[in-house]
Amino acid sequence: MNKLPGSAIVIGASIGGLSAARVLADHFERVTVIERDVLQDGPRQGAPQANHIHVLLRKGVDLLEQYFPGLVEQMKADGIEPFDFTQDLRWLQFGDWMPRHRSGIVLYPQTRCSLERYLRARLRAYSNVEILESTSVRALLATPDGRRILGVQTHDRHEDGGAVTNRLANIVVDASGRGSQLGKWLSELGFSPPEESRLPINLCYVSRLFEQPETARDWRGLWITPLPPDKPRGGAMLGVEGNRWIVSLFGYEGHHPPRDADGFVEFARSLREPDIYEAIKDAKPVSDVAMYRVPDVKWRHFERIRGFPAGLLVLGDAWCYFDPVFGQGMSVAMLEANLLNEALHQLDSLEAVTQAWTASYLRMGAQWLQGLWFFVTAEAMRHPHVPGERTRLIKLAQWYVEELYALNHEHPEIYQEFLKLMHVQAGPEFLLRPDIALRLAKRAWQQKSVKGLGTEALWPASRVALGARYAGRMLANLVVPQRVGPRDRICHFDTEVMWQPDKTLGWFVRDALRARGLLSEAAEVRRFLDYWLPVQGLGIAKKALIEFSYNADEPGLGFMLYSDNGTVTQAFREYTRQLGISNEGVERSVAICETFRPSDLGLVRAEFKPGGPTRYSIAASWHFDSMRGHSGFDEAMSRLPERFRAGPFAERVKTYASALRTEYYPLFLGLSFLEDGTLESKMYLVRFDEQRPPFQPGSELWRFLQEMGVSAPELERVRQLNALLWDHSADKMTQVAIETSESQSQPKRINLIYSGIQTSAVLEAISRFGYPNSSKQAVRDFERMMQTDRAKFVAVRVGPEGLSPRLKLYKHALFDFGDLSVVEDGGLGPRDATPAAVKDVPDVCLY
């Protein structure tokens, strides 16, 4: 590999910092690690947690072997014995001991200072790596506008009055841990402090080393997890180098372990199983008792800082730190270093170290952190003292995890796959297996209700099955979004934090009604949301797709809300009845959706236009079942009553979907009706392609548009627009929605839908492809009202005449139902960004 003729600096000789330095050594001519502590055999002063148990998950071991070849063999030669995670560990999780067998998931347990010693020795063998100890970073060096980092200012701590030095570098990586000063340094450059997600957990743990006795045991490690709310205490012990045990005991809130020797042993006796106590009560201690407190877990959202300086990166605890009880810290830091390596491979020159490149790294890391953060916070909320709303999504995740552990006892093959996911050796594909969803649904059905999900009412089996399938896919995409296939990436969440309510939503609705000329429709919008919000959301997630749509002639505002298909069809009949809408189109729409399984995903959509009739739609999906595919629609249509099956409508829909079957996967069938009862449909199909834009000459979609009558010049314009938006897509997803009416023999039009698009790309499309200039203002309205520079989806319409002058922007948002009471007096108070804009129309504040 050709190294770039520049230098890199890593702040902190932590596991993450040493891993980052090893990665950077392959890419830069010079790498400097700056550590404020004296580096010695024992724990560093700046890492008091090093006295306690640390576990490097199997993926971390794999990365050790990748970046430090021969290190694992050296460890074994030095007497660090391989440790099979299931055979050698007794693990009490929830109410039972986990099964024990040879899993092949082999770890190398040792103290943290031992691992750091190995990594430092390996790094010092690299001629282009320098490790400076007893040196602190005082500030960042940057260009006058703060847009690019030039290096750091350091202070020599070897003696009082040590030298202050400016050290230049092309890239600076902060791996300085929980005590990171990065926020302070950025503020000195004129940036606002990063937003923080913080959850107080009030954890305390104490650790001590013991000499291992001669007594033979069938285990080499013990792990007793807490079982909140009644049993918030836990402990773990492992054999480490020097024929010693390291024992860590921990407790939350009012259950902190004492630091004295007798209290240490008594706390071990108080755990819900006596195994650790029995092991240490007569063992010889060989160290003092060390204590460490963890008041909170925290995610500093550097990825959200606009204009984040080019060349400044962050990883490990300096970015996000979790509850150490889960043992993820070292492995997460090494995974982020691996992510850094992937980002560095995109650089072919020092000039490529731009703000866009830096933001891309932060965005990828944040996307990966989302899943871990959600799981850790969900598990923390099992403890009553931890603040935060126990939403249905949180409760479902807790239930889902607990039920998965129960399945692990019953099904060894599921347990083996679960262990690989736990150790980040494999993606979460096994969570998506239909047999797991069915087993979870069966357990819930046998219990007759799922307790703790926020309702005493009996949950329908359809909602339980849908929730299980949806949660599996959603969690999979949060944890390892790049590892799931096209059929299961529908639940992607990009970089959005979808478990926190969107505080801008009420203002968005209010401002959008005014900006789109919809004040006269405000009452109908209010009635729609009042009716649908309580019944939507998959029954577990208060999630709605907010659709902001516009064109030159007919600006509009749309809402799309999700639930299980059974709930949607029943509610849709009732809602249209209340509206006084009763025609053949309504009945056929509901009847068709009812032929899909009740546990499939269903959704309702309303599109409001100034002075025009509201357009209501209902949709069903079969994309959750990867074995069903195109046959799902055929199967559903075969169950329709004869009077709804008559006519060419169903055949046309099947024909259109089949025309794209090898390149696109079926997603939704949407149905809407005209005032005269005529039925219209949208068949949604989806494709993921990381290699090139999907719309190419000769492709199925190209031929489909040719048959629609789209001219060659318009096809070329569509191709160029497709390439632009696909290039700016967050996950290279393209949807195709084929619109048809039973009164027309040919498709009316198609919509091309792109995911995670920067609004700057939309503005470029407006300029290049002949969209009305008035559309630019609508895009800017979208940015201002939703306070974002990225649309969840962008939809482009193409008809026989070619590109339509209509674009749509979409935004996902999470409703907090408890705060969505309609107020008549302005309620929320002035909005900081645009106080005048909201005060002059107080009668349309919906929330």
PDB file of all heavy atoms in Angstrom, residues 725 751-754 771 793-797 806-810:
ATOM      1  N   LEU A 725     -29.490  11.381  -8.224  1.00  0.00           N
ATOM      2  CA  LEU A 725     -30.104  11.090  -6.932  1.00  0.00           C
ATOM      3  C   LEU A 725     -29.571   9.793  -6.340  1.00  0.00           C
ATOM      4  O   LEU A 725     -29.395   9.682  -5.129  1.00  0.00           O
ATOM      5  CB  LEU A 725     -31.628  11.044  -7.089  1.00  0.00           C
ATOM      6  CG  LEU A 725     -32.268  12.380  -7.488  1.00  0.00           C
ATOM      7  CD1 LEU A 725     -33.781  12.244  -7.605  1.00  0.00           C
ATOM      8  CD2 LEU A 725     -31.920  13.480  -6.489  1.00  0.00           C
ATOM      9  N   ASN A 751     -43.390   6.238 -10.192  1.00  0.00           N
ATOM     10  CA  ASN A 751     -42.617   7.097  -9.302  1.00  0.00           C
ATOM     11  C   ASN A 751     -41.303   6.390  -9.000  1.00  0.00           C
ATOM     12  O   ASN A 751     -41.291   5.201  -8.648  1.00  0.00           O
ATOM     13  CB  ASN A 751     -43.368   7.367  -7.996  1.00  0.00           C
ATOM     14  CG  ASN A 751     -44.570   8.250  -8.207  1.00  0.00           C
ATOM     15  OD1 ASN A 751     -44.452   9.348  -8.733  1.00  0.00           O
ATOM     16  ND2 ASN A 751     -45.746   7.767  -7.840  1.00  0.00           N
ATOM     17  N   LEU A 752     -40.209   7.107  -9.143  1.00  0.00           N
ATOM     18  CA  LEU A 752     -38.905   6.613  -8.731  1.00  0.00           C
ATOM     19  C   LEU A 752     -38.596   7.257  -7.380  1.00  0.00           C
ATOM     20  O   LEU A 752     -38.632   8.482  -7.242  1.00  0.00           O
ATOM     21  CB  LEU A 752     -37.825   6.990  -9.747  1.00  0.00           C
ATOM     22  CG  LEU A 752     -38.064   6.492 -11.178  1.00  0.00           C
ATOM     23  CD1 LEU A 752     -36.959   6.998 -12.097  1.00  0.00           C
ATOM     24  CD2 LEU A 752     -38.147   4.985 -11.219  1.00  0.00           C
ATOM     25  N   ILE A 753     -38.287   6.438  -6.388  1.00  0.00           N
ATOM     26  CA  ILE A 753     -38.153   6.909  -5.011  1.00  0.00           C
ATOM     27  C   ILE A 753     -36.755   6.550  -4.511  1.00  0.00           C
ATOM     28  O   ILE A 753     -36.339   5.395  -4.580  1.00  0.00           O
ATOM     29  CB  ILE A 753     -39.228   6.273  -4.106  1.00  0.00           C
ATOM     30  CG1 ILE A 753     -40.622   6.542  -4.695  1.00  0.00           C
ATOM     31  CG2 ILE A 753     -39.126   6.812  -2.690  1.00  0.00           C
ATOM     32  CD1 ILE A 753     -41.718   5.766  -4.026  1.00  0.00           C
ATOM     33  N   TYR A 754     -36.046   7.555  -4.002  1.00  0.00           N
ATOM     34  CA  TYR A 754     -34.667   7.393  -3.555  1.00  0.00           C
ATOM     35  C   TYR A 754     -34.592   7.675  -2.056  1.00  0.00           C
ATOM     36  O   TYR A 754     -35.294   8.532  -1.536  1.00  0.00           O
ATOM     37  CB  TYR A 754     -33.742   8.336  -4.319  1.00  0.00           C
ATOM     38  CG  TYR A 754     -33.858   8.184  -5.822  1.00  0.00           C
ATOM     39  CD1 TYR A 754     -34.803   8.919  -6.537  1.00  0.00           C
ATOM     40  CD2 TYR A 754     -33.070   7.275  -6.509  1.00  0.00           C
ATOM     41  CE1 TYR A 754     -34.938   8.768  -7.904  1.00  0.00           C
ATOM     42  CE2 TYR A 754     -33.203   7.114  -7.877  1.00  0.00           C
ATOM     43  CZ  TYR A 754     -34.135   7.858  -8.575  1.00  0.00           C
ATOM     44  OH  TYR A 754     -34.271   7.691  -9.922  1.00  0.00           O
ATOM     45  N   TYR A 771     -37.229  21.559 -13.669  1.00  0.00           N
ATOM     46  CA  TYR A 771     -38.300  21.710 -12.697  1.00  0.00           C
ATOM     47  C   TYR A 771     -38.549  23.196 -12.448  1.00  0.00           C
ATOM     48  O   TYR A 771     -37.632  24.023 -12.574  1.00  0.00           O
ATOM     49  CB  TYR A 771     -37.951  21.007 -11.384  1.00  0.00           C
ATOM     50  CG  TYR A 771     -37.973  19.507 -11.490  1.00  0.00           C
ATOM     51  CD1 TYR A 771     -36.804  18.785 -11.689  1.00  0.00           C
ATOM     52  CD2 TYR A 771     -39.176  18.803 -11.415  1.00  0.00           C
ATOM     53  CE1 TYR A 771     -36.815  17.404 -11.803  1.00  0.00           C
ATOM     54  CE2 TYR A 771     -39.200  17.419 -11.528  1.00  0.00           C
ATOM     55  CZ  TYR A 771     -38.025  16.727 -11.722  1.00  0.00           C
ATOM     56  OH  TYR A 771     -38.067  15.366 -11.846  1.00  0.00           O
ATOM     57  N   PHE A 793     -37.007  10.302   1.885  1.00  0.00           N
ATOM     58  CA  PHE A 793     -37.191   9.843   0.516  1.00  0.00           C
ATOM     59  C   PHE A 793     -37.386  11.044  -0.394  1.00  0.00           C
ATOM     60  O   PHE A 793     -37.900  12.081   0.028  1.00  0.00           O
ATOM     61  CB  PHE A 793     -38.420   8.932   0.374  1.00  0.00           C
ATOM     62  CG  PHE A 793     -38.341   7.658   1.152  1.00  0.00           C
ATOM     63  CD1 PHE A 793     -39.178   7.432   2.240  1.00  0.00           C
ATOM     64  CD2 PHE A 793     -37.440   6.665   0.819  1.00  0.00           C
ATOM     65  CE1 PHE A 793     -39.114   6.258   2.959  1.00  0.00           C
ATOM     66  CE2 PHE A 793     -37.363   5.487   1.529  1.00  0.00           C
ATOM     67  CZ  PHE A 793     -38.203   5.290   2.606  1.00  0.00           C
ATOM     68  N   VAL A 794     -37.004  10.887  -1.638  1.00  0.00           N
ATOM     69  CA  VAL A 794     -37.334  11.836  -2.694  1.00  0.00           C
ATOM     70  C   VAL A 794     -37.992  11.038  -3.808  1.00  0.00           C
ATOM     71  O   VAL A 794     -37.444  10.024  -4.257  1.00  0.00           O
ATOM     72  CB  VAL A 794     -36.092  12.561  -3.230  1.00  0.00           C
ATOM     73  CG1 VAL A 794     -36.443  13.400  -4.454  1.00  0.00           C
ATOM     74  CG2 VAL A 794     -35.483  13.441  -2.151  1.00  0.00           C
ATOM     75  N   ALA A 795     -39.187  11.480  -4.230  1.00  0.00           N
ATOM     76  CA  ALA A 795     -39.940  10.777  -5.270  1.00  0.00           C
ATOM     77  C   ALA A 795     -39.992  11.624  -6.528  1.00  0.00           C
ATOM     78  O   ALA A 795     -40.323  12.814  -6.478  1.00  0.00           O
ATOM     79  CB  ALA A 795     -41.354  10.457  -4.775  1.00  0.00           C
ATOM     80  N   VAL A 796     -39.687  11.001  -7.657  1.00  0.00           N
ATOM     81  CA  VAL A 796     -39.715  11.628  -8.972  1.00  0.00           C
ATOM     82  C   VAL A 796     -40.784  10.928  -9.804  1.00  0.00           C
ATOM     83  O   VAL A 796     -40.822   9.693  -9.856  1.00  0.00           O
ATOM     84  CB  VAL A 796     -38.341  11.491  -9.673  1.00  0.00           C
ATOM     85  CG1 VAL A 796     -38.408  12.055 -11.085  1.00  0.00           C
ATOM     86  CG2 VAL A 796     -37.249  12.167  -8.857  1.00  0.00           C
ATOM     87  N   ARG A 797     -41.645  11.694 -10.450  1.00  0.00           N
ATOM     88  CA  ARG A 797     -42.724  11.097 -11.249  1.00  0.00           C
ATOM     89  C   ARG A 797     -42.337  11.095 -12.731  1.00  0.00           C
ATOM     90  O   ARG A 797     -41.808  12.089 -13.247  1.00  0.00           O
ATOM     91  CB  ARG A 797     -44.027  11.857 -11.047  1.00  0.00           C
ATOM     92  CG  ARG A 797     -45.184  11.331 -11.899  1.00  0.00           C
ATOM     93  CD  ARG A 797     -46.471  12.054 -11.576  1.00  0.00           C
ATOM     94  NE  ARG A 797     -46.977  11.674 -10.262  1.00  0.00           N
ATOM     95  CZ  ARG A 797     -48.034  12.238  -9.684  1.00  0.00           C
ATOM     96  NH1 ARG A 797     -48.656  13.245 -10.278  1.00  0.00           N
ATOM     97  NH2 ARG A 797     -48.446  11.822  -8.508  1.00  0.00           N
ATOM     98  N   ARG A 806     -43.100  17.433 -11.008  1.00  0.00           N
ATOM     99  CA  ARG A 806     -43.515  17.220  -9.626  1.00  0.00           C
ATOM    100  C   ARG A 806     -42.469  16.405  -8.896  1.00  0.00           C
ATOM    101  O   ARG A 806     -42.008  15.379  -9.401  1.00  0.00           O
ATOM    102  CB  ARG A 806     -44.864  16.492  -9.577  1.00  0.00           C
ATOM    103  CG  ARG A 806     -45.481  16.476  -8.199  1.00  0.00           C
ATOM    104  CD  ARG A 806     -46.091  15.138  -7.856  1.00  0.00           C
ATOM    105  NE  ARG A 806     -45.091  14.073  -7.867  1.00  0.00           N
ATOM    106  CZ  ARG A 806     -45.234  12.919  -7.232  1.00  0.00           C
ATOM    107  NH1 ARG A 806     -46.338  12.668  -6.580  1.00  0.00           N
ATOM    108  NH2 ARG A 806     -44.297  11.988  -7.294  1.00  0.00           N
ATOM    109  N   LEU A 807     -42.084  16.878  -7.761  1.00  0.00           N
ATOM    110  CA  LEU A 807     -41.190  16.164  -6.860  1.00  0.00           C
ATOM    111  C   LEU A 807     -41.871  16.039  -5.509  1.00  0.00           C
ATOM    112  O   LEU A 807     -42.695  16.870  -5.143  1.00  0.00           O
ATOM    113  CB  LEU A 807     -39.871  16.916  -6.679  1.00  0.00           C
ATOM    114  CG  LEU A 807     -38.924  17.013  -7.870  1.00  0.00           C
ATOM    115  CD1 LEU A 807     -37.806  17.984  -7.547  1.00  0.00           C
ATOM    116  CD2 LEU A 807     -38.358  15.654  -8.209  1.00  0.00           C
ATOM    117  N   LYS A 808     -41.493  15.021  -4.762  1.00  0.00           N
ATOM    118  CA  LYS A 808     -41.973  14.883  -3.395  1.00  0.00           C
ATOM    119  C   LYS A 808     -40.792  14.661  -2.470  1.00  0.00           C
ATOM    120  O   LYS A 808     -39.862  13.935  -2.808  1.00  0.00           O
ATOM    121  CB  LYS A 808     -42.942  13.705  -3.265  1.00  0.00           C
ATOM    122  CG  LYS A 808     -44.350  13.982  -3.727  1.00  0.00           C
ATOM    123  CD  LYS A 808     -45.279  12.852  -3.301  1.00  0.00           C
ATOM    124  CE  LYS A 808     -46.725  13.159  -3.694  1.00  0.00           C
ATOM    125  NZ  LYS A 808     -47.643  12.089  -3.256  1.00  0.00           N
ATOM    126  N   LEU A 809     -40.873  15.280  -1.317  1.00  0.00           N
ATOM    127  CA  LEU A 809     -39.917  15.031  -0.255  1.00  0.00           C
ATOM    128  C   LEU A 809     -40.646  14.350   0.898  1.00  0.00           C
ATOM    129  O   LEU A 809     -41.773  14.710   1.221  1.00  0.00           O
ATOM    130  CB  LEU A 809     -39.293  16.340   0.250  1.00  0.00           C
ATOM    131  CG  LEU A 809     -38.496  17.174  -0.757  1.00  0.00           C
ATOM    132  CD1 LEU A 809     -37.943  18.399  -0.067  1.00  0.00           C
ATOM    133  CD2 LEU A 809     -37.386  16.361  -1.370  1.00  0.00           C
ATOM    134  N   TYR A 810     -39.985  13.388   1.512  1.00  0.00           N
ATOM    135  CA  TYR A 810     -40.557  12.662   2.643  1.00  0.00           C
ATOM    136  C   TYR A 810     -39.655  12.824   3.859  1.00  0.00           C
ATOM    137  O   TYR A 810     -38.440  12.970   3.737  1.00  0.00           O
ATOM    138  CB  TYR A 810     -40.672  11.163   2.342  1.00  0.00           C
ATOM    139  CG  TYR A 810     -41.594  10.785   1.223  1.00  0.00           C
ATOM    140  CD1 TYR A 810     -41.242  10.973  -0.104  1.00  0.00           C
ATOM    141  CD2 TYR A 810     -42.828  10.198   1.485  1.00  0.00           C
ATOM    142  CE1 TYR A 810     -42.078  10.607  -1.140  1.00  0.00           C
ATOM    143  CE2 TYR A 810     -43.678   9.823   0.462  1.00  0.00           C
ATOM    144  CZ  TYR A 810     -43.296  10.024  -0.848  1.00  0.00           C
ATOM    145  OH  TYR A 810     -44.142   9.637  -1.871  1.00  0.00           O
TER     146      TYR A 810
END
